[in-house]
Amino acid sequence: MTTKEALYKYVLRLGDDSLILGQRLSELCGHGPILEEDIATTNISLDLIGQATLFLEYAGSLSNEFKTNDELAFLRLEKDYLNVLLVEQPNGHFGDTIMRQFLFDAFRLPLLTKLQDSKDNTLSSIAEKALKETKYHLRHSSEWVVRLGDGTEESHHKIQESLNTLYRYSHELFFVDEADVLLQQEAIIPELDDIKSQWSQTIKDVLEMATLSLPTNNWKFEGGRMGRHSEHMGYLLAEMQYMQRTYPNMEW
Amino acid sequence: MEKVDNKDLEKKFQEKIDQDIKIEPNDWMPDNYRDTLIRQISQHAHSEVVGMLPEGNWITRAPNLRRKAVLLAKVQDEAGHGLYLYSAVETLGADREDTIDDLHSGKAKYSSIFNYPTLTWADMGAIGWLVDGAAIMNQVPLCRCSYGPYARAMVRVCKEESFHQRQGFEVMTKLAAGTPEQKEMAQDALNRFWWPALMMFGPNDADSKHTEQSMKWKIKRHTNDELRQQFVNVTVPQAEMIGLTVPDKDIKWNDSKNGYDFGAINWDEFWQVVGGNGPCNQERVEARRKAKENGSWVVEAAAAFANKRMKKTA
Ligand SMILES: [Fe+2]
Ligand SMILES: [Fe+2]
Ligand SMILES: [Fe+2]
C-alpha cells in the first residue's frame, strides 16, 4: 500500500463519517422537538455535509481513477462506504440522536485538533475548518446529555437507555488498520492514544454531570470501517442515492 | 367617560398611522388591531414552519452535495423566520405555544400552498421560484407595515426570501436546460404549482373580508388582486426566458393595463384546501403535532434541569 492509497482510504473514512451522520440528521429537519432545536440540528447537519464535501473532494483527487465528491457520495456500493457503524444508526428519539452525536463529537474534537498538525496541508486545513464547527457541536451535544440526564426521571431513563444501546458502537471510532499505521509513521495522522484518553475523559466528565453511568455490557461492534454495515445502511443509501441512480449522468 | 377616552385614543392612533409613525408594543392600540395582527402574524409564523415540511421531504434525496446543503440552509432559514415571527406575536401579548396549539387543533390557518405534495426534485425549484417569489410580493409591502416589530421582522425575512427565490429559479433554469427528462420534470412542477401560487394572494378583492380595514391600518398596502397581477407580470417572462410554459391558455399581454391578462382561478379548489381538504392538510398538521408531542419530554427535561440549576445557584 502506498501513502497515497492509505491517505485515500483515511480521508474517505473521515468524509463518510461526516456524510452519513449529516444525512441522518437531515432526516429530522422540520420535526425537531422545539423550533430552536430544529434549527440547531439542521445547522449541525449542514456543517457535516460541508465537511463531507471537502473530505470527499480531497479523497476524489487521491483516487486512482479521479472521482468527484458527488460521485463518491452518491454512486458507491454499500460495501465501499467506510463510515463507523455509530453514525448510520437510526435517529430514534431525541435522546438517541443526542447520544450518538455526543459520542461522535467527543472523538472528533481531539482528532481534528491533532489533524491540524498533519504534514499533509490539505488535510490540516480541512481539519482546521471542521474543528471550529465541531467545538460548537460538542458543546451542544454535551449540554443536552447533561440536561436530559439530570432533567426529569423520564428523560434520565431515556438517555441512559440511549447510552446503553449506543456505547458499544463507540469502540470502532478507534479502529486502526495498516493504512492508519502507515500514515501515523509519516506523521500525516496522529496516534490514537492521546485522543482516546481525551475522549474517555470527556465521556467521564459529561456523564458525571449528567448523573449517567457507563453500561456494564462491554460488547463492541465494528465493521463499518471495513465496509461491513448494519441493516440500516442499505435504506439510508437507497434514499440518498435515489436521484443519482434513477437519473444517471445528469447535472443538477 | 371611558367611551369618550377610547374614541380619543382611537383618533390619535389613526393619526399616527396616517402619518406613518410606527406602532410599538407598549403603545395604545384598538383591540381589533391587536387581534388582527395576532391572527395574521401567527398564521405567517405557522406558514413558515409548516412550509419546512414539503421541502424537508426532499433533503435526504437531494441530487448532489451542493443542492443538499443549499436546501438544508433554506429550510433552516424558514425555521428562523418562524422564530422571528413568533417573537413578534409575543410582543402583542399572545403566547407562542397557545398559537401553536391553535395550529394543531385546526383553529389557526397557514398558507394553503403547503398542503400540496412535493413529488419530484423539480418541486424544490418550483417552490423557491414561485412560492418564495409570491411570498416576497406579499411581504415586501409588510416591511412598511404600521406595527413596528412585524415590519422589522419582515425586513430580515424578505432579504432571505429573495435569496430563496433566486436559488429556486436557478434550480429550474438548470433543469429546463437539461435532458428531456429534466425539462419535463420542470414543466410538470410548474404545471402543478402555478395555480396554487396564484391562490397564495388570497381571494379576489371583492371577496376579501379583511382588506379594507387592514389597508386603513396600514397592515396591508396593496389588495390581493394588485399583488397577484404584479406576480403574474414578473413571473410569466421568467418562465418564457427558460423555455417553460405557464399552464394557462388565457395568458396574454394587455397593453391597456400594462400587464398580463390571465385565466380564472379555481376558487372552489382554494376553499376546499383552506377548509382542510387539500392533498396534504392532514399530514402537515399531523407532522407538526407529532413533533411537539414527541418533544414534550425534552422540553420538560430542559425546564426541570434549569429549575434544579437555579436552586443550586440560589
Ligand atoms: Fe420564509
Ligand atoms: Fe414567508
Ligand atoms: Fe423562503
Side-chain angles (χ1 to χ4, degrees):
Chain A
M1 183 178 273
T2 65
T3 306
K4 197 177 157 196
E5 283 162 352
L7 190 56
Y8 169 71
K9 201 173 193 185
Y10 184 79
V11 176
L12 206 55
R13 285 168 173 169
L14 288 178
D16 285 347
D17 284 351
S18 296
L19 177 68
I20 302 303
L21 187 54
Q23 173 73 7
R24 271 289 183 232
L25 291 176
S26 79
E27 294 168 11
L28 296 169
C29 187
H31 306 278
I34 42 169
L35 207 45
E36 286 82 349
E37 200 43 43
D38 210 309
I39 293 174
T41 307
T42 307
N43 199 35
I44 295 167
S45 170
L46 193 54
D47 286 343
L48 289 166
I49 297 297
Q51 292 171 15
T53 303
L54 297 174
F55 282 129
L56 295 181
E57 184 184 11
Y58 186 37
S61 75
L62 295 164
S63 69
N64 287 329
E65 62 285 27
F66 179 87
K67 290 208 163 158
T68 67
N69 47 15
D70 283 326
E71 284 172 300
L72 286 176
F74 295 97
L75 290 169
R76 274 177 289 158
L77 298 176
E78 178 175 324
K79 67 179 179 56
D80 297 326
Y81 286 82
L82 301 177
N83 56 280
V84 289
L85 295 177
L86 176 69
V87 297
E88 72 196 49
Q89 295 311 302
N91 291 321
H93 59 60
F94 184 71
D96 297 329
T97 303
I98 283 294
M99 185 53 75
R100 182 186 64 197
Q101 192 68 37
F102 170 62
L103 295 172
F104 180 75
D105 294 338
F107 166 73
R108 266 291 172 110
L109 183 96
L111 175 70
L112 292 169
T113 306
K114 293 249 175 177
L115 273 175
Q116 289 183 114
D117 303 327
S118 168
K119 277 197 173 156
D120 184 278
N121 287 333
T122 311
L123 196 51
S124 76
S125 79
I126 300 174
E128 197 185 325
K129 185 187 173 287
L131 179 63
K132 286 192 198 110
E133 298 163 349
T134 305
K135 279 181 184 161
Y136 158 74
H137 301 174
L138 178 60
R139 184 153 42 94
H140 178 261
S141 58
S142 27
E143 279 173 7
W144 270 112
V145 169
V146 175
R147 247 181 237 132
L148 296 177
D150 195 18
T152 60
E153 214 173 294
E154 184 189 8
S155 70
H156 175 86
H157 178 73
K158 276 191 140 123
I159 189 93
Q160 179 67 57
E161 285 285 304
S162 310
L163 177 62
N164 295 350
T165 315
L166 291 166
Y167 190 69
R168 53 198 149 169
Y169 292 104
S170 58
H171 168 75
E172 194 183 19
L173 292 164
F174 302 96
F175 177 90
V176 173
D177 70 2
E178 54 163 344
D180 299 82
V181 173
L182 199 153
L183 296 171
Q184 282 168 356
Q185 281 164 357
E186 301 195 23
I188 292 173
I189 67 166
E191 308 256 344
L192 288 176
D193 303 352
D194 282 359
I195 293 170
K196 176 126 197 195
S197 63
Q198 270 194 62
W199 179 83
S200 305
Q201 192 62 47
T202 307
I203 302 294
K204 192 171 160 273
D205 292 347
V206 171
L207 292 190
E208 201 175 292
M209 277 190 284
T211 69
L212 296 172
S213 42
L214 280 180
T216 44
N217 179 343
N218 212 15
W219 184 249
K220 291 161 181 167
F221 280 133
E222 59 177 30
R225 282 283 185 253
M226 295 168 286
R228 250 188 4 251
H229 293 278
S230 59
E231 286 184 348
H232 307 295
M233 187 67 170
Y235 293 95
L236 182 148
L237 291 181
E239 196 170 337
M240 189 171 76
Q241 298 183 335
Y242 166 69
M243 289 296 289
Q244 294 278 346
R245 297 284 185 208
T246 314
Y247 304 96
N249 304 315
M250 293 186 202
E251 278 181 53
W252 304 93
Chain B
M1 260 318 261
E2 216 195 332
K3 239 187 175 171
V4 179
D5 274 355
N6 244 353
K7 256 205 176 134
D8 195 41
L9 285 167
E10 238 167 89
K11 194 171 152 243
K12 280 194 183 133
F13 172 82
Q14 190 60 47
E15 277 168 13
K16 266 168 103 178
I17 301 237
D18 294 340
Q19 292 166 41
D20 279 325
I21 298 170
K22 290 267 180 281
I23 307 299
E24 295 301 332
N26 294 325
D27 296 347
W28 185 88
M29 61 186 87
D31 288 347
N32 277 343
Y33 177 83
R34 186 185 299 275
D35 293 344
T36 301
L37 279 169
I38 290 177
R39 181 175 47 83
Q40 182 173 336
I41 303 173
S42 62
Q43 285 186 11
H44 191 169
H46 302 331
S47 301
E48 301 288 348
V49 174
V50 175
M52 296 167 72
L53 298 169
E55 289 184 286
N57 184 38
W58 278 87
I59 292 174
T60 55
R61 288 176 294 170
N64 61 37
L65 291 165
R66 185 172 82 89
R67 294 289 181 205
K68 194 186 286 289
V70 167
L71 188 56
L72 271 166
K74 193 217 171 191
V75 179
Q76 189 191 25
D77 284 348
E78 306 301 0
H81 299 169
L83 269 191
Y84 311 151
L85 288 163
Y86 284 123
S87 307
V89 175
E90 293 199 310
T91 64
L92 291 159
D95 178 69
R96 166 174 151 182
E97 290 309 314
D98 289 346
T99 69
I100 290 174
D101 290 338
D102 284 345
L103 167 71
H104 296 176
S105 73
K107 192 176 145 205
K109 300 283 177 233
Y110 53 89
S111 183
S112 60
I113 189 91
F114 301 120
N115 291 315
Y116 290 87
T118 52
L119 303 178
T120 72
W121 170 251
D123 292 6
M124 300 305 98
I127 289 182
W129 175 34
L130 303 174
V131 177
D132 288 79
I136 294 165
M137 296 278 166
N138 267 327
Q139 289 167 20
V140 166
L142 288 174
C143 299
R144 294 186 298 130
C145 160
S146 59
Y147 187 58
Y150 192 26
R152 288 187 290 273
M154 279 304 104
V155 173
R156 272 177 90 171
V157 167
C158 280
K159 272 187 206 143
E160 293 178 350
E161 302 294 16
S162 58
F163 195 56
H164 299 165
Q165 193 271 347
R166 268 177 286 151
Q167 284 168 344
F169 188 60
E170 201 248 323
V171 167
M172 287 303 256
T173 307
K174 185 102 189 176
L175 293 174
T179 64
E181 280 158 300
Q182 286 174 309
K183 186 166 182 182
E184 195 192 316
M185 196 189 279
Q187 182 62 54
D188 169 65
L190 173 57
N191 293 349
R192 283 182 289 109
F193 278 96
W194 174 255
W195 291 106
L198 293 193
M199 294 175 198
M200 282 176 71
F201 297 95
N204 287 132
D205 296 346
D207 307 311
S208 175
K209 53 180 176 175
H210 304 297
T211 296
E212 200 189 326
Q213 181 58 267
S214 289
M215 299 271 277
K216 195 172 159 231
W217 280 332
K218 293 191 182 169
I219 294 174
K220 228 174 156 156
R221 299 269 181 169
H222 307 280
T223 69
N224 296 352
D225 286 330
E226 285 166 7
L227 291 166
R228 185 162 23 238
Q229 183 67 54
Q230 197 188 339
F231 176 76
V232 173
N233 292 349
V234 170
T235 312
V236 170
Q238 291 174 341
E240 277 170 11
M241 197 171 92
I242 58 175
L244 297 180
T245 313
V246 168
D248 178 358
K249 285 186 216 67
D250 297 323
I251 291 269
K252 215 178 109 206
W253 179 257
N254 180 338
D255 253 337
S256 69
K257 72 174 190 190
N258 201 26
Y260 289 91
D261 289 329
F262 53 95
I265 289 169
N266 181 351
W267 291 113
D268 186 41
E269 175 182 325
F270 174 76
W271 291 115
Q272 283 294 332
V273 179
V274 170
N277 296 322
C280 300
N281 294 56
Q282 241 176 333
E283 286 92 331
R284 300 296 186 237
V285 174
E286 189 57 25
R288 292 309 310 160
R289 202 179 349 197
K290 259 198 187 144
K292 184 165 177 173
E293 224 174 76
N294 293 342
S296 64
W297 69 275
V298 177
V299 176
E300 281 160 25
F305 176 78
N307 236 326
K308 285 186 199 171
R309 286 296 137 122
M310 235 163 50
K311 276 188 195 144
K312 262 188 200 165
T313 50

